[in-house]
Amino acid sequence: MEKLPDVAALARQLGQGTEPGAAEPPAWFADPNRPYWNMDAELKLEEFATLRGQERAWARLRRTIRDVYDASPYWRQRLDEAGVVPEAVRTPTDYARMVPLFDKEAHRQSQEDSLAAHGHALGLHLRVPLDQLRLICATSGTTGNPTYYIYDANGLMGSNEVYARALWRTGVRPGMRVLHGFALSMFAAGVPVVHALNYMGACAIPVGAEAGTERLLLQASLLKPEVLTCTPSYAEYLIEKAPQVTGREIGAFGFKILIVGGEPGGSIPEVRKKLGEAFGAKVYDMQGPAMSCDANEGFHMSSMGGSWYELLDPDTKELRPIEDGATGEWVTTSLSAAKGVAPVLRMAVGDLYQLFTEPCACGKTGWRYRIVGRVDDMLKVKGVMVYPAAITKVVQAHYPRLTGFYRIVLDEPPPRVVPPLRLKVEYGESEAGRLEALRNELEDAMHNALKIRPEIEWLAPGSLDRSVHKTQVFEKAYLEK
Ligand SMILES: [Zn+2]
């Protein structure tokens, strides 16, 4: 185990994680084998899930609504337009029914209006002067302008703290070298993760997916990093590419920890197994600052005390009860939103989660969730709702008989699909001679998982683009008509 570098200096930086402004680190901080980055905060996560914890969070949220109303002209206008007086929001159901969602459309509109009004696209909900900002990240918007996420010094500290908690749970420790292979420019897990690695005393090697495979592999062989972060499809691509570019298998590079994210894959047992065996590393799946665990029972939320959470029916937007196994559209409100650079009530990015509130087999704290799909990606095939994430799961479960790469061909704009749903699927090398049997088997597996029977067109292994960013599963044939 690496020795901690300058523990006292690191702890002074911690600030938000322990007592603010604490000069001396707490005793547990010197122990590199401790289970949590922040023993104080992460052991308390369970309290949040109790009735008392929830009541306390609700009381804080009620104050937050008033504070946001007072602090943000944007929200004052939105709530006024909706006829909402903060004090009239008396129950969680009131909150869900009365306060409008800040969904992708609202976010886009706020950015567009701010471009017209202020000459920048950071959003009307931006609360502080531009010179307070320290970092601007953008999602890789597949259509139109990107969506911005903005940090001031405090926000960056908060981000560092929650990412450090997630990274520590995988075994990342001070002094370790971490090769960063996520896209640095267009991804919230890009530069913010680099900042968090510095914050926790690890050494970031920010190569990024943009640099290309050869450069990444070169850095890996010259610098011997212990940890790699990238998308799961990029990690799979590196398995193929490493011997061609360097003459060595990826397993010979010495990675101990592989952290994947940005697209589905890292939580699918077959993909985890494939990556783990090829890299000779432990594999974890990351979604924002939530991390999968050794039991692979979903993403652990290691910072949940600071937010209010809602699960909604994706069609009616009605509130669903939060309980173990419940599914719905995930909506969050930071309880310190009013102090943020760009306050947001009811942030809805369009993720459908299944939530687990019971203790995890891995023994670590925090609620967990699995991603069911994205509200935007939902397809309706003869009234049956189908999510690409579910198709990905079936395809990847058939590795190595399928390569794991496929596309959904859309002949008209989603969500409506006239059956059959068309899939282009790459078969594995070994299967070239027995595609008919494989087709029947795959169609049955899809029917079991999705309740629909897609039409499968075979592609030779390697024919689809291997994305270094995020794999786009839709082939929009209707655009070419
Ligand atoms: Zn767990």
Side-chain angles (χ1 to χ4, degrees):
M1 183 54 63
E2 306 274 349
K3 249 186 95 202
L4 284 166
D6 194 357
V7 171
L10 195 56
R12 270 194 296 278
Q13 292 171 28
L14 245 173
Q16 146 143 10
T18 58
E19 307 90 80
E24 290 302 315
W28 49 257
F29 195 74
D31 177 10
N33 296 314
R34 66 187 192 272
Y36 302 110
W37 161 253
N38 190 326
M39 296 294 286
D40 287 345
E42 288 173 82
L43 284 171
K44 279 189 201 141
L45 289 179
E46 304 303 300
E47 281 175 28
F48 173 79
T50 63
L51 192 60
R52 208 179 129 65
Q54 288 291 285
E55 280 170 358
R56 215 176 309 163
W58 172 248
R60 275 186 69 189
L61 179 67
R62 289 199 69 188
R63 285 196 299 276
T64 299
I65 304 168
R66 163 51 68 182
D67 292 346
V68 167
Y69 184 90
D70 291 340
S72 164
Y74 169 81
W75 280 100
R76 199 169 323 139
Q77 190 185 342
R78 277 204 98 187
L79 293 177
D80 284 349
E81 278 169 9
V84 178
V85 177
E87 284 65 31
V89 182
R90 294 200 176 83
T91 64
T93 310
D94 288 347
Y95 186 55
R97 290 202 175 141
M98 295 162 74
V99 176
L101 285 173
F102 191 77
D103 55 12
K104 257 178 23 189
E105 178 52 29
H107 202 153
R108 192 196 58 75
Q109 192 65 52
S110 172
Q111 292 190 173
E112 206 168 277
D113 293 347
S114 112
L115 187 60
H118 306 306
H120 67 72
L122 294 173
L124 287 182
H125 56 300
L126 180 69
R127 188 184 61 85
V128 303
L130 290 177
D131 63 5
Q132 299 289 300
L133 305 183
R134 295 293 176 272
L135 183 66
I136 298 169
C137 287
T139 58
S140 50
T142 41
T143 51
N145 289 334
T147 305
Y148 291 114
Y149 294 91
I150 317 157
Y151 306 78
D152 65 355
N154 271 337
L156 207 48
M157 181 70 95
S159 164
N160 287 345
E161 172 63 21
V162 295
Y163 274 103
R165 292 181 193 177
L167 293 162
W168 186 274
R169 289 177 180 219
T170 71
V172 173
R173 292 294 180 269
M176 280 192 180
R177 289 177 304 285
V178 182
L179 184 63
H180 196 76
F182 283 122
L184 288 166
S185 59
M186 299 290 288
F187 194 44
V191 170
V193 168
V194 174
H195 278 278
L197 288 165
N198 286 166
Y199 166 81
M200 67 190 294
C203 171
I205 308 172
V207 175
E210 300 92 336
T213 318
E214 296 196 7
R215 232 184 131 69
L216 189 94
L217 289 168
L218 179 69
Q219 301 280 19
S221 56
L222 294 176
L223 300 173
K224 301 283 184 303
E226 292 101 329
V227 187
L228 172 66
T229 65
C230 63
T231 65
S233 54
Y234 194 41
E236 288 189 48
Y237 185 55
L238 290 175
I239 300 172
E240 289 178 30
K241 214 64 190 167
Q244 298 165 19
V245 174
T246 68
R248 294 155 67 210
E249 298 290 336
I250 198 71
F253 281 68
F255 290 113
K256 295 190 182 80
I257 302 167
L258 173 62
I259 300 170
V260 297
E263 61 185 19
S267 293
I268 298 167
E270 291 77 8
V271 176
R272 237 164 104 103
K273 186 161 175 280
K274 175 190 179 184
L275 294 176
E277 284 173 2
F279 279 78
K282 290 183 88 169
V283 181
Y284 295 91
D285 196 6
M286 179 166 99
Q287 209 231 8
M291 190 70 79
S292 75
C293 63
D294 289 325
N296 195 23
E297 294 286 339
F299 298 102
H300 279 259
M301 298 159 58
S302 54
S303 59
M304 49 195 231
S307 295
W308 178 256
Y309 301 107
E310 296 170 82
L311 276 178
L312 306 182
D313 180 305
D315 275 336
T316 65
K317 309 295 178 191
E318 284 286 308
L319 193 63
R320 286 180 174 170
I322 291 224
E323 54 195 21
D324 194 58
T327 300
E329 183 176 351
W330 188 241
V331 176
T332 61
T333 306
S334 164
L335 295 174
S336 49
K339 292 186 196 132
V341 282
V344 165
L345 299 175
R346 306 194 76 215
M347 172 74 101
V349 296
D351 284 324
L352 289 165
Y353 285 179
Q354 186 179 22
L355 187 69
F356 302 96
T357 55
E358 292 296 311
C360 184
C362 77
K364 295 280 167 70
T365 57
W367 284 355
R368 292 159 288 126
Y369 61 84
R370 287 189 190 286
I371 299 170
V372 178
R374 292 193 47 80
V375 177
D376 290 351
D377 286 351
M378 183 186 75
L379 300 173
K380 279 186 181 168
V381 188
K382 242 184 170 175
V384 179
M385 284 187 259
V386 176
Y387 295 100
I391 298 176
T392 302
K393 207 168 164 178
V394 175
V395 169
Q396 296 193 330
H398 284 75
Y399 178 85
R401 298 166 64 210
L402 304 175
T403 65
F405 291 89
Y406 78 99
R407 295 288 185 274
I408 299 167
V409 185
L410 298 177
D411 293 311
E412 54 188 308
R416 199 175 81 100
V417 173
V418 177
L421 180 70
R422 289 170 58 204
L423 302 181
K424 290 182 175 175
V425 184
E426 279 188 14
Y427 56 84
E429 297 283 359
S430 60
E431 301 301 302
R434 39 189 171 186
L435 291 178
E436 273 323 294
L438 185 60
R439 179 193 306 279
N440 291 335
E441 193 187 322
L442 188 58
E443 283 179 1
D444 286 347
M446 293 274 178
H447 188 252
N448 281 336
L450 313 167
K451 311 292 169 230
I452 56 148
R453 201 167 279 276
E455 182 183 283
I456 291 162
E457 178 186 335
W458 289 122
L459 298 178
S463 14
L464 290 170
D465 258 3
R466 266 52 171 164
S467 167
V468 294
H469 300 285
K470 281 186 181 191
T471 306
Q472 177 57 258
V473 294
F474 292 124
E475 184 179 309
K476 294 169 182 166
Y478 58 88
L479 294 178
E480 286 144 33
K481 276 181 185 169

